[in-house]
Amino acid sequence: MAVCWSWFALFCLFNQGNLVWGLCTEQGVEIEGGRYTLSNQLEEGSLLRYHCDEGFYPYPHLVRTCNYNGQWEPPPTRSRSRSRCRLVECPDPSVLENGNVWPSDEHYFYQNNTRYECYGGYTLYGSSHRTCLSNGKWSGPHPVCRRDSGDHCPDPGIPPGGTKTGILFNIGDKVTYSCNDNTMILVDSEERVCQEDGTWSGKEPTCYYPYTFDTPLEVSHAFGAEIKNTFSNLQTESTVIQEGRSITLTESGILNIYIALDISSSIDQKQFENARLAVLTLIDKIASFSVTPNYDVIFFSSKIIEVVNILSFFDKDQSKKSLADRLNLLKTIEIKRGDKAGTNLNAVFKKFEEKMTIIKQRQEDFEKHQHVIVVFTDGGYNMGGKPTQTVERIKSLILMDKPKEREEHLDIYIFGIGAQIYDANLRSLTVGPPGQRHYFRLRDTNELHQTFEEIINEEGVKGLCGLHRNYGDMYNAEKKRKKYPWIMFVSVMTDQHTSNCLGSLVSPRFVLTAAHCFTVNNLIENIKVSVNGGYMLGVHKIHTHPQYNINAKVDQGVEEFYDYDVALIELIDDVEISTSLRPICLPCTEQTNAALRQTLTCEQQEQLLIRNKDRITFLTKTNLGEKDAHIKMGENRLDCIKKAVLEPRVSVTEENVTEVVTDNFLCTGGDFPEIDKIACKGDSGGAVFKNYLNRTIQIALISWGNKLMDQCLRDQMAVSDEDSRDFHFNLFKVVPFLKDILGKDTPRYAPLVFVD
Ligand SMILES: *[C@@H]1O[C@H](CO)[C@@H](O)[C@H](O)[C@H]1NC(C)=O
Ligand SMILES: *[C@@H]1O[C@H](CO)[C@@H](O)[C@H](O)[C@H]1NC(C)=O
Ligand SMILES: *[C@@H]1O[C@H](CO)[C@@H](O)[C@H](O)[C@H]1NC(C)=O
């Protein structure tokens, strides 16, 4: 047993049964105004990472590595150039042509504001005001001063800190970019060509300092949009064959996702946990897009550890295994230290190449597969050689010498994480259509996790109705909003009192609720629609179903008649779609077909979604408790609706009960086949829904019931007795009304697309 002694006994480390002491020392590595962390204490290969406050960056170095002879690389220097935190500077904005930048300065720092104005005859495109952000970028899009020059393409402008060559903007003309300071790198297209359609090829470049990072929002915006594109390609490729009444979804458009995670010793335990969580979040998010790709997940350093094997997805014997089972190892695996500090990126690509080759041999439809490789790494490769050749082989395997035609079949994304990034080495390994971002630079793995959390917020998924999060424990209001992002609260004030209803967001502009929540005398200003009780939305108009008439059968003794109890509230403005505010799917829309991942007619959707004894769900107003009930149809329907006679205000007998409970209502309640939950006062207008493949589809709305349940006064989660019944208005019966308003071609709002 080695005796550990040094005047800094802290450096003794227990490692694989031996006491050893760290190689490097902490002398002289301190940073003024900041702190540092070590990925593997003072061991060989450990990465020392500097941290500064928001708006500052470590200078002159972001990181140091402990090398084999116990020296830091780069070594700390004494005296004046000691490490310190410096204020973040943004690249020079005074590259604007044909305009002025205020204030005019030599340097622009974190939180400095700038203004842009064009000379007479020129118009400003992009931001007129920009702020220098803490990640070393300017807020908003690059400003450009343009005038109508008769050129085919618009002046593409110059990124701050950069230079452009090329002054002709007609078809085939080229512009090239570079950054003015050699510490900066140019991210995105170095060269752009004016195309026939009047746009520039590629993507507008930006100059990055070594400390410039992409924010999680930027990454999730770009990556989210790309990955969504991949998914939409898949969806359009899938075809439906209709044989008589049965519908078979053919398996096509297979997506294979290969994920590699760097665990070389420069990544510490916390970073690793973050990265693991990020990968799990990514997979979870992909599942919520309603696509089911095949996955391969590996961890790598000098060696490869296989965590999820894609080949098992193609194995018939294992086809019943759930994704959760397959991901088990990814969730539980512990990473042991002691592996040498190498990073063998080439082995990663070789591994993926090997898997692809096997899939190709085994799957006849390999040509149709799409492949997405996502690599997370904190730096370059220091063993195993350059991966360039391997990537070229993967390209020829997948693109089959038709790089243009088959470009959507292969994407390689690289996420450079942390400070020690060798951009040039990594960027050259990305593959994907020009104009799309495939290389990202993130500050740390913490941000990576946040990135994937936010992907679901992004533009790319705004069109997805009924998308929501699932949580096990449901006690917090914020989580409930994300589980039921479509729920809306409606209140109507009259002189005497306020009545409350629930509603559902069915498009960014419309809320669906029950018509009986309103009377003809209600004034628009007395109708309040809110997301959570606090945030009120402006109401433009109430559209009630033209056939709704509560007094229609007063003469027959029916005090209140609820047929066509449906109303749409038109808001003044679109709501902003987010994780906690998103429309529910409506019957007979294209969006619902997308959610169901089938191409169905309206009638087929109804057959699929409304069946005897099916379990349906609705929410109760207090704390948004979830209530389940079962639809009674066919031979069970009459028994169910007969109980309407118990409501004295509708004077019906068992013989003429259908005069009041028309075929437009779905009946729930009672204790068969299970004890149902029953609606309470205030639940009216709320959605009756089903969850299908992680998407929520509304099939009816809560209209009326035969009994006022005493139990509701004590407990909103009231259960039904033998006789209590709820009658929900079936939305499939009012599709023409919904289509007439929501599907209307008008400049005022974007229409929903209905199917026949
Ligand atoms: C820019 O930021 C620096 C550092 O915070 C500050 O000293 C300077 O006054 C700012 N310049 C302007 C024009 O706001
Ligand atoms: C149902 O029949 C009863 C008795 O014949 C009658 O009094 C009542 O008005 C009818 N109700 C309706 C809605 O027609
Ligand atoms: C999607 O649904 C499945 C099963 O219905 C569930 O296990 C999974 O957690 C859901 N995923 C998300 C992201 O909600």
Side-chain angles (χ1 to χ4, degrees):
M1 199 64 150
V3 178
C4 169
W5 67 278
S6 100
W7 60 280
F8 248 135
L10 288 173
F11 299 158
C12 296
L13 297 169
F14 193 67
N15 186 15
Q16 294 177 328
N18 294 313
L19 277 175
V20 296
W21 52 90
L23 280 163
C24 288
T25 74
E26 291 189 80
Q27 260 180 315
V29 298
E30 309 82 4
I31 182 164
E32 209 178 297
R35 61 189 183 89
Y36 60 86
T37 51
L38 297 164
S39 69
N40 195 13
Q41 290 154 330
L42 296 165
E43 298 269 356
E44 177 188 339
S46 181
L47 186 77
L48 182 150
R49 196 189 295 272
Y50 288 114
H51 306 270
C52 294
D53 289 343
E54 177 90 2
F56 291 82
Y57 71 97
Y59 177 85
H61 303 289
L62 304 171
V63 291
R64 299 182 198 279
T65 322
C66 178
N67 72 15
Y68 62 92
N69 56 18
Q71 301 297 314
W72 289 109
E73 188 51 50
T77 44
R78 272 160 234 97
S79 71
R80 281 179 302 148
S81 57
R82 271 177 91 107
S83 293
R84 62 182 188 275
C85 287
R86 262 198 181 178
L87 194 58
V88 162
E89 185 176 343
C90 280
D92 186 5
S94 35
V95 292
L96 184 74
E97 294 172 304
N98 307 310
N100 287 320
V101 182
W102 282 286
S104 170
D105 235 321
E106 225 161 283
H107 298 279
Y108 295 84
F109 296 100
Y110 172 53
Q111 285 180 331
N112 278 173
N113 294 310
T114 45
R115 264 185 315 121
Y116 304 81
E117 233 177 71
C118 295
Y119 301 152
Y122 287 85
T123 311
L124 183 79
Y125 290 80
S127 303
S128 61
H129 292 78
R130 305 183 94 182
T131 304
C132 175
L133 305 175
S134 63
N135 65 343
K137 295 188 188 181
W138 288 100
S139 66
H142 298 330
V144 191
C145 293
R146 289 182 190 144
R147 69 173 165 191
D148 191 8
S149 56
D151 286 329
H152 192 73
C153 285
D155 183 340
I158 304 173
T163 309
K164 179 185 77 191
T165 63
I167 45 166
L168 299 174
F169 308 146
N170 286 309
I171 301 178
D173 286 337
K174 248 184 235 166
V175 292
T176 58
Y177 293 96
S178 58
C179 296
N180 298 339
D181 180 329
N182 62 14
T183 67
M184 289 198 273
I185 60 153
L186 188 84
V187 173
D188 293 324
S189 307
E190 272 169 46
E191 180 182 294
R192 303 183 81 185
V193 180
C194 174
Q195 306 173 120
E196 242 165 85
D197 65 3
T199 64
W200 291 97
S201 67
K203 196 166 163 38
E204 180 171 76
T206 307
C207 290
Y208 279 40
Y209 283 111
Y211 55 82
T212 305
F213 290 97
D214 300 316
T215 64
L217 204 66
E218 286 172 319
V219 181
S220 67
H221 195 96
F223 182 67
E226 297 317 335
I227 205 107
K228 172 72 191 342
N229 271 341
T230 307
F231 300 155
S232 343
N233 285 342
L234 283 177
Q235 276 162 4
T236 53
E237 263 181 37
S238 65
T239 48
V240 170
I241 303 164
Q242 221 177 302
E243 301 161 353
R245 310 211 76 179
S246 72
I247 289 149
T248 333
L249 204 62
T250 58
E251 286 258 324
S252 80
I254 290 175
L255 176 62
N256 299 324
I257 300 183
Y258 310 78
I259 300 172
L261 203 58
D262 186 343
I263 53 159
S264 60
S265 54
S266 49
I267 293 228
D268 63 25
Q269 192 62 29
K270 184 155 170 285
Q271 294 267 329
F272 170 72
E273 285 305 331
N274 283 336
R276 181 216 307 265
L277 195 60
V279 171
L280 284 167
T281 308
L282 175 66
I283 293 177
D284 201 41
K285 284 291 132 72
I286 292 173
S288 68
F289 283 94
S290 307
V291 290
T292 49
N294 307 315
Y295 291 100
D296 201 77
V297 182
I298 60 181
F299 294 160
F300 70 100
S301 53
S302 56
K303 293 200 207 100
I304 300 279
I305 304 172
E306 292 198 60
V307 186
V308 179
N309 186 351
I310 196 163
L311 299 177
S312 78
F313 287 78
F314 294 98
D315 188 339
K316 288 223 160 46
D317 297 338
Q318 296 192 41
S319 63
K320 291 245 158 51
K321 250 182 152 177
S322 72
L323 184 62
D325 281 344
R326 292 179 202 275
L327 299 182
N328 219 2
L329 190 59
L330 174 60
K331 286 180 194 151
T332 55
I333 194 167
E334 296 291 330
I335 297 305
K336 283 188 228 72
R337 292 261 161 239
D339 209 2
K340 275 278 175 273
T343 302
N344 191 345
L345 198 54
N346 196 17
V348 169
F349 286 104
K350 278 187 170 163
K351 193 58 155 183
F352 291 155
E353 181 194 12
E354 184 188 315
K355 298 276 176 73
M356 288 171 176
T357 309
I358 298 173
I359 298 171
K360 184 178 180 180
Q361 283 162 1
R362 293 190 190 162
Q363 301 302 119
E364 276 171 17
D365 60 354
F366 182 76
E367 256 186 56
K368 289 193 194 152
H369 292 205
Q370 274 180 264
H371 306 263
V372 176
I373 296 178
V374 188
V375 177
F376 303 101
T377 179
D378 75 336
Y381 34 89
N382 54 16
M383 56 186 298
K386 264 187 162 186
T388 325
Q389 289 303 318
T390 318
V391 169
E392 285 305 316
R393 285 199 305 274
I394 291 177
K395 278 195 201 167
S396 70
L397 181 70
I398 308 298
L399 302 181
M400 303 171 180
D401 300 322
K402 295 175 215 151
K404 263 266 172 308
E405 277 164 59
R406 290 185 52 81
E407 69 177 11
E408 79 271 20
H409 287 267
L410 178 66
D411 289 280
I412 301 181
Y413 293 94
I414 307 235
F415 286 82
I417 296 166
Q420 199 188 35
I421 302 171
Y422 303 94
D423 299 274
N425 289 352
L426 295 176
R427 272 196 298 160
S428 66
L429 302 174
T430 62
V431 174
Q436 296 181 2
R437 190 96 188 262
H438 282 72
Y439 176 72
F440 299 99
R441 207 204 244 181
L442 280 167
R443 205 186 309 251
D444 56 36
T445 51
N446 211 355
E447 302 204 334
L448 185 64
H449 178 220
Q450 207 187 330
T451 298
F452 296 138
E453 270 294 319
E454 276 165 16
I455 277 185
I456 207 164
N457 278 337
E458 280 316 309
E459 202 71 45
V461 299
K462 276 197 176 155
L464 301 182
C465 62
L467 192 62
H468 62 276
R469 306 231 178 145
N470 269 322
Y471 297 101
D473 56 334
M474 287 297 306
Y475 298 107
N476 134 342
E478 192 187 316
K479 283 186 173 175
K480 288 210 168 166
R481 268 262 37 115
K482 291 183 177 170
K483 187 165 182 187
Y484 315 111
W486 39 265
I487 188 82
M488 303 295 274
F489 298 88
V490 179
S491 65
V492 181
M493 279 170 287
T494 60
D495 292 344
Q496 300 85 33
H497 67 292
T498 301
S499 54
N500 294 307
C501 279
L502 293 178
S504 48
L505 190 71
V506 294
S507 83
R509 187 66 65 88
F510 285 92
V511 173
L512 179 67
T513 187
H516 80 253
C517 300
F518 312 102
T519 67
V520 282
N521 306 321
N522 293 145
L523 298 170
I524 286 291
E525 48 273 30
N526 291 334
I527 298 171
K528 303 276 182 237
V529 176
S530 89
V531 173
N532 50 19
Y535 168 40
M536 296 290 178
L537 303 169
V539 176
H540 173 68
K541 194 175 173 191
I542 308 294
H543 305 258
T544 40
H545 195 284
Q547 279 165 274
Y548 170 74
N549 178 1
I550 197 156
N551 300 319
K553 295 197 172 177
V554 172
D555 290 347
Q556 285 113 293
V558 183
E559 276 176 50
E560 290 167 10
F561 181 55
Y562 288 108
D563 212 5
Y564 298 100
D565 189 9
V566 178
L568 283 165
I569 305 172
E570 183 175 345
L571 304 171
I572 292 171
D573 284 315
D574 281 2
V575 299
E576 178 109 12
I577 304 306
S578 68
T579 351
S580 42
L581 194 56
R582 176 186 296 280
I584 196 166
C585 300
L586 275 185
C588 303
T589 57
E590 293 252 343
Q591 289 207 342
T592 296
N593 267 349
L596 296 168
R597 302 178 60 206
Q598 301 184 39
T599 310
L600 305 180
T601 62
C602 183
E603 194 185 338
Q604 288 166 336
Q605 281 191 11
E606 185 170 2
Q607 283 163 3
L608 178 72
L609 293 167
I610 303 190
R611 290 176 303 198
N612 192 19
K613 298 183 205 168
D614 266 5
R615 190 163 58 100
I616 52 92
T617 309
F618 52 94
L619 301 182
T620 196
K621 189 173 157 265
T622 317
N623 296 328
L624 297 183
E626 215 177 76
K627 293 178 169 181
D628 287 342
H630 297 80
I631 305 177
K632 277 71 175 177
M633 285 178 64
E635 69 272 25
N636 304 115
R637 179 173 169 89
L638 190 59
D639 267 350
C640 189
I641 65 172
K642 268 201 286 201
K643 300 287 179 187
V645 301
L646 297 175
E647 168 57 67
R649 284 178 299 166
V650 301
S651 119
V652 281
T653 62
E654 292 196 356
E655 280 65 50
N656 64 8
V657 68
T658 55
E659 288 287 322
V660 173
V661 188
T662 65
D663 284 349
N664 295 332
F665 290 97
L666 299 176
C667 185
T668 68
D671 51 11
F672 171 83
E674 282 170 49
I675 299 177
D676 281 351
K677 293 263 179 15
I678 206 88
C680 293
K681 203 163 187 279
D683 298 350
S684 278
V688 173
F689 62 91
K690 276 185 156 181
N691 281 329
Y692 203 100
L693 298 169
N694 300 76
R695 307 279 286 271
T696 307
I697 303 167
Q698 178 168 6
I699 57 171
L701 65 78
I702 297 174
S703 180
W704 63 292
N706 66 341
K707 269 178 134 182
L708 203 56
M709 299 290 287
D710 295 341
Q711 227 195 83
C712 280
L713 299 175
R714 295 188 300 275
D715 176 11
Q716 287 268 326
M717 295 305 283
V719 296
S720 182
D721 59 25
E722 200 187 322
D723 293 331
S724 52
R725 296 292 184 267
D726 282 326
F727 307 110
H728 312 294
F729 197 85
N730 180 351
L731 294 184
F732 284 95
K733 306 293 184 183
V734 283
V735 171
F737 166 73
L738 298 174
K739 186 174 171 181
D740 197 36
I741 295 164
L742 301 171
K744 189 168 171 172
D745 194 13
T746 156
R748 285 190 298 135
Y749 51 83
L752 285 183
V753 182
F754 283 76
V755 298
D756 290 331

